[in-house]
Amino acid sequence: MAMKEALCPQLCRAHERLPPQSTAAENCRDDSPLYSPSFRHQARIGSAGLTCADVGSFSEDSSLWDKFHLQIARDWLYPPQQSDATVDLLLQHEITQPIVKITQKEGGTQLKLIIEFADGGHALFKPMRFSREQQTLKNHFYFTDYERHNAEIGAFHLDRLLGFRRCVPVVGRTLNMTKELYALATGDLLKTFFISPDNNLCFHGKCSYYCDTSHAICGNPDLLEGSFAVFLPGKEAAPRKVWRHPWRRSYHKRRKAQWQVDEAYCDLVRDVHPYSEGRRLLDVVDMSILDFLMGNMDRHHYETFKMFGNNSAPIHLDHGRGFGKPFHDELSILAPLYQCCVIRHSTLKTLMGYQIHGGTSDSLSNSLRRSLSTDPLTPVLWEPHLEAVDRRLALVLQAVRLCVEKAEDPSTVVIDDFH
């Protein structure tokens, strides 16, 4: 299929597949806004985003970054891997692209860098702090846990295997800190670089937690692993809405959130927009299953694209605190599932498929291991984390089974909403 034919229909008709002979110009509505493909083109496209009428002249010379942005649809950030290789090609591209500029990302609790590549693309860099075997410290709360670069990589691959495709594409890369970070650092960031007593190059930046000399990020002696998350389109071109997660934790060392003490909490959620109708409650349950499988308790907000209104799937962002406790299963992460007792039919079908193949090469853990083996930083996850994924999968299905058993009508639990 020609590139012109492939890009625009993804957004103009969401996840519907067009006949091979159809062209973008024939099938797009002239008033259908597409996402601004890249920062380089925002001035030409404007805040309204690219329209289908622009695709004929634009798509032929578009970059991989542009193509990724143009494929974002209502239900996912990118199409299935089997039908389109854009994401895989873009991740390979990130590994080799020269870095021309770095800046520290404002906000957030821990150090992150915005990376600009020679071709104008951007990525969010999270550096390696610990070895794969380092677990969450027993006396650390979920909100003071260290972020792990390999958790971001693992989350992307797990999200794709579950069929969600709502996680921003992430790839691992090893940097030469001297040439690719220190040489490009400026201002306050540059001042935080130093040589450790062990003669390793270190830096710490400025942030809320762990940005000081005693928590510095150090190379070996100047080689440093990190995760590179592809940037989404700029918010001026593709505005996003931030939502407070209804099952947000208290982020306090003594207080509990309402959902942790109220068994009927889901009834309150169902009365509130946008969970009172449409797909959003099922999307939150999907998100909770992803979080549970990797042990991520740090889900306080989520985002959606405004152009799709309340019919948009949430974007799965920020998973640095996942994959921290391989020997502990935090069942409270599944609260949206077991309190509301609903699950999307397609999600359940995917989970059962992996469960049926448990113990084979097509189990969830083996599928994840195989997928992660394509990343430059393989092995990405410590083996106990992979074993935990299979164990937790069985717990998810057990929660669904309990919901079905106590329901008068099983069709109220397993919902087929055509997503």
Side-chain angles (χ1 to χ4, degrees):
M1 183 183 293
M3 190 59 63
K4 183 187 300 184
E5 297 173 327
L7 298 181
C8 192
Q10 303 288 356
L11 286 167
C12 295
R13 295 184 58 183
H15 65 305
E16 298 176 4
R17 191 177 299 277
L18 297 175
Q21 68 272 20
S22 300
T23 64
E26 292 170 349
N27 290 286
C28 288
R29 303 190 310 271
D30 288 337
D31 61 348
S32 297
L34 300 183
Y35 299 138
S36 167
S38 74
F39 303 101
R40 301 193 304 282
H41 300 284
Q42 282 183 12
R44 178 167 73 85
I45 294 170
S47 59
L50 187 69
T51 63
C52 292
D54 298 317
V55 171
S57 61
F58 177 78
S59 62
E60 294 298 338
D61 64 349
S62 59
S63 70
L64 284 170
W65 307 92
D66 303 332
K67 294 167 187 174
F68 165 63
H69 290 165
L70 282 167
Q71 289 180 325
I72 296 173
R74 181 192 67 186
D75 297 328
W76 31 252
L77 293 180
Y78 54 93
Q81 187 178 16
Q82 302 91 319
S83 62
D84 188 275
T86 298
V87 166
D88 289 331
L89 291 173
L90 179 56
L91 295 180
Q92 288 295 320
H93 185 67
E94 272 192 290
I95 298 167
T96 58
Q97 265 295 297
I99 298 172
V100 297
K101 184 179 180 181
I102 66 169
T103 53
Q104 183 166 349
K105 185 179 184 297
E106 296 180 358
T109 59
Q110 299 184 40
L111 177 71
K112 306 175 187 70
L113 298 180
I114 297 174
I115 302 293
E116 182 175 338
F117 296 105
D119 67 349
H122 293 74
L124 184 66
F125 171 73
K126 288 189 178 182
M128 174 180 177
R129 281 190 177 272
F130 306 109
S131 67
R132 306 288 193 270
E133 296 79 16
Q134 176 68 56
Q135 300 178 56
T136 298
L137 299 180
K138 293 182 178 180
N139 290 319
H140 272 208
F141 288 96
Y142 54 89
F143 53 86
T144 59
D145 189 14
Y146 297 107
E147 294 196 20
R148 289 166 284 276
H149 72 300
N150 57 319
E152 295 286 359
I153 302 168
F156 161 65
H157 286 262
L158 180 59
D159 174 89
R160 180 158 64 173
L161 287 172
L162 293 176
F164 299 147
R165 305 192 305 281
R166 301 168 197 159
C167 184
V168 174
V170 184
V171 70
R173 174 173 170 175
T174 300
L175 296 181
N176 181 308
M177 292 176 63
T178 303
K179 297 179 180 179
E180 297 177 295
L181 294 183
Y182 179 71
L184 300 174
T186 59
D188 291 339
L189 178 61
L190 177 60
K191 295 176 183 178
T192 69
F193 280 79
F194 63 94
I195 302 296
S196 75
D198 198 31
N199 290 319
N200 296 316
L201 181 58
C202 306
F203 75 111
H204 56 72
K206 291 188 175 181
C207 60
S208 301
Y209 298 149
Y210 312 126
C211 281
D212 53 57
T213 305
S214 61
H215 296 97
I217 295 158
C218 297
N220 181 29
D222 66 346
L223 297 180
L224 178 67
E225 288 185 8
S227 64
F228 286 72
V230 177
F231 258 34
L232 292 172
K235 291 187 178 181
E236 290 185 1
R240 305 201 294 267
K241 181 175 176 61
V242 179
W243 303 81
R244 181 186 173 95
H245 197 294
W247 277 269
R248 181 185 188 272
R249 295 176 187 274
S250 67
Y251 286 81
H252 190 278
K253 55 182 174 287
R254 284 184 291 271
R255 288 198 299 266
K256 289 187 176 182
Q258 184 177 355
W259 62 267
Q260 293 177 293
V261 296
D262 184 357
E263 293 183 0
Y265 178 77
C266 187
D267 294 337
L268 299 177
V269 175
R270 289 178 184 271
D271 288 337
V272 178
H273 175 80
Y275 310 102
S276 54
E277 59 182 358
R279 63 177 292 165
R280 188 63 57 81
L281 184 58
L282 292 170
D283 288 330
V284 169
V285 171
D286 281 348
M287 204 183 316
S288 73
I289 292 171
L290 173 67
D291 284 336
F292 176 69
L293 290 174
M294 61 181 169
N296 178 37
M297 299 173 66
D298 186 31
R299 184 73 71 182
H300 43 83
H301 291 83
Y302 65 88
E303 298 182 18
T304 58
F305 285 107
K306 286 185 177 180
M307 69 168 288
F308 291 130
N310 292 323
N311 205 30
S312 171
I315 308 167
H316 294 169
L317 296 168
D318 199 4
H319 306 101
R321 287 180 171 140
F323 295 109
K325 295 183 176 182
F327 306 110
H328 171 72
D329 303 326
E330 184 55 52
L331 291 171
S332 65
I333 301 174
L334 281 179
L337 171 60
Y338 63 70
Q339 288 185 349
C340 297
C341 274
V342 291
I343 185 171
R344 184 169 274 133
H345 178 272
S346 57
T347 300
L348 180 59
K349 181 180 179 180
T350 299
L351 297 177
M352 292 182 67
Y354 284 120
Q355 182 70 1
I356 290 172
H357 291 96
T360 73
S361 61
D362 292 324
S363 67
L364 183 55
S365 62
N366 283 325
S367 297
L368 182 56
R369 184 184 295 105
R370 188 162 52 246
S371 183
L372 289 171
S373 69
T374 63
D375 190 273
L377 302 186
T378 189
V380 174
L381 295 176
W382 188 29
E383 194 63 26
H385 288 298
L386 294 169
E387 296 170 0
V389 167
D390 283 339
R391 185 179 68 244
R392 292 165 184 165
L393 171 60
L395 293 174
V396 173
L397 294 176
Q398 180 181 351
V400 175
R401 188 179 304 110
L402 291 174
C403 285
V404 171
E405 289 175 353
K406 68 181 182 181
E408 295 182 4
D409 182 0
S411 66
T412 62
V413 176
V414 183
I415 311 297
D416 191 349
D417 68 343
F418 306 105
H419 291 293

